[in-house]
Amino acid sequence: MAKVQVLNVAVLDNPSPFGNPFQFEITFECMEDLPEDLEWKIIYVGSAESEEYDQVLDSVLVGPVPAGRHMFVFQADAPNTGLIPESDAVGVTVVLITCTYRGQEFIRIGYYVNNEYTDPELRENPPLKPDYTQLQRNILASNPRVTRFHINWEGSADKMEDSENVDPSPNISSMLPPSCIPGKMPPLGLMPDNSMDCM
Amino acid sequence: QSLTKPRKKEHCKPIFSVDIHPDGTKFATGGQGEDSGKVMIWNMAPVLREEDEKNENIPKMLCQMDNHLACVNCVRWSNNGLYLASGGDDKLVMVWKRAAGISVCVCFLFADVMDVAWSPHDVWLASCSVDNTIVIWNARKFPEMVTCLRGHTGLVKGLTWDPVGKYIASQADDHSLKVWRTVDWQMDANITKPFSECGGTTHVLRLSWSPDGQYLVSAHAMNNSGPTAQIVERDGWKTNMDFVGHRKAVTVVKFNPKIFKKKQKNGSSPKPGCPYCCCAVGSKDRSLSVWLTSLKRPLVVIHDLFDKSIMDISWTLTGLGMLVCSMDGTVAYLDFSLDELGDPLSEEEKNSIHQNIYGKSLAITSTEAQLSTTIIENPEMLKYQQERQNSAQTNIGPGCAGPESSAPKLNSVMNGESLEDIRKNLLKKQVETRTADGRRRITPLCIAQLDTGDFSPALFNSAPILPSGSSMSNQLTSQLSSDSSPGQASSLGLRPSHDPMLTSPPASSIPCLLLTSASKIEPMKALDSRFTERSKATPGVTAAISSTAGLTPLDSRPKDGISALKDIKSKEDTSSDSEDKMATINKNLSFSKRKPELLMDGGEVVEKRKKGRPRKEKMAAPIAQPFTQITPPAEREPSRVAAPPAPVAALKLPTPSIKKAFSLQVSMEPSVFLEVENEVSVVAGSKLSQLRCSRDGRDWNTLLPSSVVTAAGSSDVLAVACQDRMLSVFSSCGRRLLPAIQLATPVSAVHCSSHFVMVLTAGATLSVWDVQKQKALVKNESLLTILSGADSTVSQSLLTQQGVPVIGLSNGKSYCFSSSLETWTLIADKGDSLVQCADFRSCLSTHDAPASSGPLAVMQGRNLNAGRLASRLSSTPHHLQQSMTLAFLENQLASALTLQSAQEYRYWLLIYARFLVNEGSEYRLRELCKELLGPVHKSASTAWEPTTLGLRKRELLREVLPVIVENLRFQRLFTEYQDQLELLRNK
């Protein structure tokens, strides 16, 4: 049983110029007080072909985490353009947010990212060497891909249990797209439940 | 104790049960008689008013039944008041019906019956007995047994139904409280912890469910060796709170049927209070306590009301009166004032609470429960009902999957500051430090504490048991399971196999993807592996690229170019020539390399070559068939077009470049191929081009004086646009149908469909001709209207079978030009939030094939999966979502109408009707029926058309009527229109 559930990731400042920092507002719930910090990472996939172009944009420790629901904004600088293969600068790639506890990754949230020129002239005749100042980054925020892994929450980081892959395609039901307006507080302090649909 | 007026009735022997009739005029008691069980029905009036009691003309006891052979443990009126059920130690459940002054009884044998309970709407009657079982009876067909719930290991002593009808709960001597689902009659929860210290000392354990359905309160439970009534939350069956204070075991708990809100005091600020419930608790210690869930302490405690244990409690339906009975053979009546309890909510308000919590109000759900209570007035209706039930039995519920899942809750409010406010400043507010080794460390902002997070402080503040980890994990488990298990309806799979819209074979969904203009950022499979596991990343990249080749316009990776280059090299005939030529025309090298691949993916434009990709062509076929659709060849793709250098400024739409030769398949059935070869021969200084067409093996050819730029065709006509801006139209046999049409600017795209020809020129104008009638349907209409403002380009264009031109733009919007309105109309918008929030899954019929092939479906593409964003839906307030869905469905109907797409119109009409029926929108439904029926009597002045898009409206109504039957609330409406249809048919 995972102790931490990610409830929502909102992509802020999107779309934005390529050089802007990434900003994700992450909401998660923790079932009990965590003795150690969570470590969050943003990984930018530089090229679909090879992992060697992956860039860890930043990693932060998040803590202390008492039981309850928490949120924070994870901001990380834009990728180092020097490390991106020139041919892969424009087009579709992926940014990943991972969270590890005691060195074990238990959730991975991925988004497709589309980098393109805003200027139609550039779009039609892209320069051979990508002009990063003109590129716009658009994160496909409405379609997160979430993968969860079983980890050992109690013991040390040495052993990871079998990593169970949730199918990457379904949008986990607890993920809210960023534009979602939180609903009104229902009466009686109770949560909405469309359970009658199931009858 | 001014608020109570205890009156006692002598019954001489122990009274085990009491129940007030729903109309409040009489009540029943059950207990021990002289040598038998006794059920008595009493007049309520003498109990309520002292003068009536003294008036000897008013009868006190109305009826007495001695049919039970042994002690009667329970009496319960049905909710509709027609029946009285009684159960006793003689192993009988009797159901009494008042008939012409005499009570008729139906009875059946069983073990000693401890409690009986009618389900909401009287669909079922449950009885529990000392043989550890619970029997569910079909309350419409006694003595039919629906099921027998086994699982208790001790005497079952109490039953209560969830007011919503989803569950029934039972409490037994085996130290457990069990909750059973009514969907499949399986156990949903088994709660044992609060009961582990309990002994089996009580005669009954009458538990009760709150009228809002959120709380279940048990009878006898123990907390720290003290007797309590345990509160069980519906959400995760958590057991954090209880009612404490009784000195002996709690025998009976009974919720007031009303939900209350705080009484508005004159002059005080009209602050709307949180609604609350009221609960009475009776105990073996002979005392009675009444609690409001908004107060920490009981509203009133009455000690020593009786000489012996309290056995049963019954509230009046008004919620202001209560009868309590005891082992000592007496019944006491208590009444309360509004000042004490508060203002009871009306049934509408109660329904709206239910609606907010459970999505649908009890009043309009088309559950079996509701159906069974409404009396069917019309034999036609009955027929439909029976058909429906039969079909429901044959395909056992996809709908019944998924117990309620705890939806994500982000509605918390902190210190009066809304979540929105918090979010705005979160980045500034959050505390960020550096660790010793220089790493960033963020202290997250706590937005909800677990202990108090899930219920408002107004509820149940009495002595919580230490919050246990296990209770929380319950809730989270359900959340997780709804995430990961694909079978549940709540997980709303984006997986194709669970998506109602994608029942068509996956093959056809791929061309869809290629055709949608907003498929720009559609998933690339090459990257998909990165979402799951890193190690899998490299293998399969090439394969993935090939299957998502439609995405290449956005993607200038060299490997694409290389693979395309290989393709070109593998081509036999035309490749080398044309490639050279293209290279000269297009300065953009990478583009020309990728071109063949794009052509191939463009649906119909089939490059003539040996090594094709047959799989893909096959997949493209089904889409291409219904209406000639030619995805713009690569040249029109706006992103990387190298337009001819000279006129580039003047032209608004890209034009295709001239190729030496090309061929295309014009129609599948009959199979028509078109081949163009430019500059085949030079006669007197002018170059001639040849157009060759083969139709079912027969060929014809013709010569044109100028190079052919682009061509299109349908099974009826062929259209060819030349470099000299001439458009020639031929019949399928090669006969020239029209003299050459001179276009103002070079052509950008040509489409043919049935006998219509559509031309999009580089000057951004649109024309459509009806070749058969030799008339213009659309005349040089400018696209500036739809192109203006946004930085968008035409990404897709098509012509429907009915000659309606449709233009898809790169910004995701699609327009069609309505020749009757002479205006552009928006038919699809991929960015429209209505599309994403509309949830009409429940309205999708299994019988209707999804309308995946119509022009509307093509333009809207795959975005249109009902309720695609599961999470967004679950957090949207029901009424908002309902309105969004309604608006969306009406948009769809209007769009299908404008597109003259009859099949899609019919499809959306039925979904719309079903939605209106489910949501109970009678007003709109009536208007719809009225429009479909038209005037019954002929009159000259009527403007009503009997058909729409070639569909007969009354036939449509005939299809809509069975949908209306699904909600019995509309049976009057159904009858009304059914009759009129019959009338018209007989005319």
Side-chain angles (χ1 to χ4, degrees), chain B residues 366-405:
Chain B
S366 57
T367 58
E368 199 190 350
Q370 198 238 339
L371 289 179
S372 58
T373 52
T374 318
I375 294 155
I376 295 172
E377 299 170 356
N378 182 326
E380 279 294 315
M381 191 97 184
L382 192 64
K383 199 178 82 194
Y384 280 122
Q385 285 290 332
Q386 281 163 350
E387 278 167 13
R388 222 168 69 85
Q389 271 165 13
N390 288 342
S391 63
Q393 274 160 11
T394 49
N395 50 30
I396 289 168
C400 61
E404 55 169 327
S405 65

Side-chain angles (χ1 to χ4, degrees), chain A residues 79-159:
Chain A
N80 180 347
T81 54
L83 301 177
I84 301 173
E86 283 182 1
S87 55
D88 288 331
V90 180
V92 178
T93 184
V94 160
V95 66
L96 301 167
I97 304 167
T98 67
C99 187
T100 54
Y101 183 66
R102 296 185 199 262
Q104 310 162 87
E105 178 176 335
F106 64 91
I107 190 161
R108 165 175 294 213
I109 301 150
Y111 289 95
Y112 289 109
V113 178
N114 186 30
N115 296 316
E116 62 179 357
Y117 292 109
T118 45
D119 180 10
E121 183 59 37
L122 278 170
R123 236 189 263 190
E124 283 168 23
N125 302 302
L128 224 57
K129 196 168 170 58
D131 181 357
Y132 288 101
T133 59
Q134 296 297 314
L135 266 183
Q136 188 191 53
R137 176 182 67 217
N138 189 353
I139 302 173
L140 189 61
S142 60
N143 192 12
R145 306 295 197 89
V146 179
T147 312
R148 294 188 169 129
F149 307 97
H150 273 312
I151 62 160
N152 182 359
W153 288 91
E154 304 299 336
S156 57
D158 53 3
K159 195 172 110 231

Side-chain angles (χ1 to χ4, degrees), chain B residues 371 381 384-385 388 960-968 974:
Chain B
L371 289 179
M381 191 97 184
Y384 280 122
Q385 285 290 332
R388 222 168 69 85
V960 167
L961 282 178
V963 174
I964 293 178
V965 180
E966 287 170 23
N967 191 340
L968 272 189
F974 168 81

Side-chain angles (χ1 to χ4, degrees), chain B residues 55 115 182 238 414 436 469 575 644 867 877 973:
Chain B
N55 185 342
D115 201 1
T182 59
K238 283 176 279 189
M414 272 183 62
S575 65
L973 188 77

Side-chain angles (χ1 to χ4, degrees), chain B residues 11 207 236 269 320 393 543 592 659 767:
Chain B
H11 202 288
L207 64 175
S269 64
L320 295 176
Q393 274 160 11
S592 72
K659 282 158 284 185
S767 300

